[in-house]
Amino acid sequence: MLYIVGLGLGDEKDITVKGLEAVKSCERIYLEHYTSILTVPTDRLEALYGKKILLADREMVESDLNAILKDADSINVAFLVVGDPYGATTHTDLVLRAKELNIAVTSIHNASIMNAIGCCGLQLYNYGQTISIVFFLDNWRPDSFYDKIKQNRAIKLHTLCLLDIKVKEQSIENMARGRKIYEPPRYMTVNQAVEQLLEVEEKRQEKGVYSPTTIGVGMSRIGAPDQRIVCGTLQELLEADFGEPLHSLVLAGEMHFLEADILKTFAINVDTFNQYAQVSDH
Amino acid sequence: MLYIVGLGLGDEKDITVKGLEAVKSCERIYLEHYTSILTVPTDRLEALYGKKILLADREMVESDLNAILKDADSINVAFLVVGDPYGATTHTDLVLRAKELNIAVTSIHNASIMNAIGCCGLQLYNYGQTISIVFFLDNWRPDSFYDKIKQNRAIKLHTLCLLDIKVKEQSIENMARGRKIYEPPRYMTVNQAVEQLLEVEEKRQEKGVYSPTTIGVGMSRIGAPDQRIVCGTLQELLEADFGEPLHSLVLAGEMHFLEADILKTFAINVDTFNQYAQVSDH
């Protein structure tokens, strides 16, 4: 059996009771650690499970599924994913490959950023499509998210922005020379994301998409005791401190007044919130 | 402390380790049981917790928050929610009221249908706004969901449809006479939802919204061992058997070919799937 187990968002105790029982029954345990991270080091997980964890990097998951699935028709193998098992395409690859090999798969769900953002007060059913913001490079500044935000905001919906994570990346030079030397991990901050959003807005300037006075919500370490939820105009969020990773950002669309009531409790400045929030009373 | 604890979607063991520890520390434990249900009876939860559970119905949650919050500044109180704590507006009311009373609140996240639907293979970031379908009555057949589906599908997004739940509802006659007699609980099936969708399409017939050949995904009891995921045209889903509640329905927008690869494994009929699925190769 292959167990694909969501770990949730915070620390080792965010695994479910069912997930923990499954992991304890496994002979090999992989942790996918390149699309998201927990707020605690891996040894805290190992202590709770009483088992050794193997780290699965992108290279392994994208090129060597057979190694992960080896003997999983006769023994139990766990593949641990921060958040819910189905947040990233690569894990559907794993499920498909297991099905081809006639290996039974059990998924154990958990919270992910896609639903945990409900804690800021903006209702999940009022979100449009989710966008990703990647680190801009000198000569690569992809802005296709702008069109998606435009579509969402045209129909008044909120937009969750997932922020880039670079783990075990090679520099172009090291890659060219075939040297397996990796850069230190980088996690995009809310501030960097807002800066890039505003740069693209400066360039595109299409009507009614967003602007420095659009209300956003920056969030960090959701599910951890030191989580932060800070609401403000994009201009205000540029300077706000969100602490350690991971960070996420939401662009607010039109809010129901009950959504605004909650969100306001996280405002940097209630006056600017009241001035710029788009609130409906129905 | 008020703990708002998500229970996830399946049985008593879908609570997180952190959630279980919190519940065990509480003197009063409420279970919100009118917006969703687990797949097991409440006594299974009580056995795991070693505690008595108080059922909180809509009336209590919407009119008597102070009773739930009583003494929560000095003792621990748990409010259990199927799924994640922030799936329904009423729970943000509870948080706001607690803040007013200076009661500390800790939320413990979990899977909800909003993210667990990722298991059907359609990527969560390609969903638009979520819609609700309520039981039609003879003289009340609200179809505002049609406009929202239209908006989602115009920009090629998938749509999650949440299906109605009627728990502890009074008949109009009993309500008029002030008799506290309640109807048996009712849970909308995928079949009923599709029937209502097609009725509205028959009436509205606006171009490019959906039709009997639109690809949908019916799901039931996600997270339970007997979960079902069945993909087909709406016409095909009309007749499919989804078993016990709860049921959910997704209308597929344009799929990436990787999404289609997974979804196809759940198809009633691969030929009609291939004929009607809208698949892009980028």
Side-chain angles (χ1 to χ4, degrees), chain A residues 11 13-18 21 96 99 109-112 114-116 124-125 127 129-130 151 258 265, chain B residues 11 13-18 21 89 99 109-112 114-116 124-125 127 129-130 155 262 265:
Chain A
D11 59 35
K13 291 187 175 173
D14 285 301
I15 194 171
T16 64
V17 172
K18 189 180 282 175
E21 286 180 0
L96 274 181
K99 284 192 178 186
H109 291 287
N110 211 319
S112 64
M114 309 292 281
N115 72 339
L124 292 176
Y125 48 76
Y127 280 77
Q129 60 201 314
T130 300
Q151 289 174 332
L258 282 173
T265 66
Chain B
D11 59 35
K13 291 187 176 173
D14 286 301
I15 193 170
T16 64
V17 172
K18 189 179 282 175
E21 286 180 0
T89 316
K99 284 191 178 187
H109 292 286
N110 210 319
S112 65
M114 309 292 281
N115 73 337
L124 293 175
Y125 49 76
Y127 280 78
Q129 61 201 313
T130 300
I155 51 177
I262 291 268
T265 66

Side-chain angles (χ1 to χ4, degrees), chain A residues 87-100:
Chain A
T89 317
T90 40
H91 311 136
T92 54
D93 288 354
L94 183 63
V95 175
L96 274 181
R97 185 77 190 116
K99 284 192 178 186
E100 285 166 15

Side-chain angles (χ1 to χ4, degrees), chain B residues 33-52:
Chain B
H33 75 129
Y34 60 91
T35 57
S36 190
I37 54 164
L38 285 179
T39 60
V40 293
T42 309
D43 57 8
R44 290 266 295 269
L45 279 67
E46 291 179 328
L48 179 65
Y49 307 160
K51 302 256 180 176
K52 188 84 195 144

Side-chain angles (χ1 to χ4, degrees), chain A residues 129-133 145 148-149 152 159-162 197, chain B residues 125:
Chain A
Q129 60 201 314
T130 300
I131 64 149
S132 293
I133 302 180
F145 57 72
K148 293 182 178 178
I149 296 172
N152 285 346
T159 305
L160 169 61
C161 311
L162 300 177
L197 280 170
Chain B
Y125 49 76

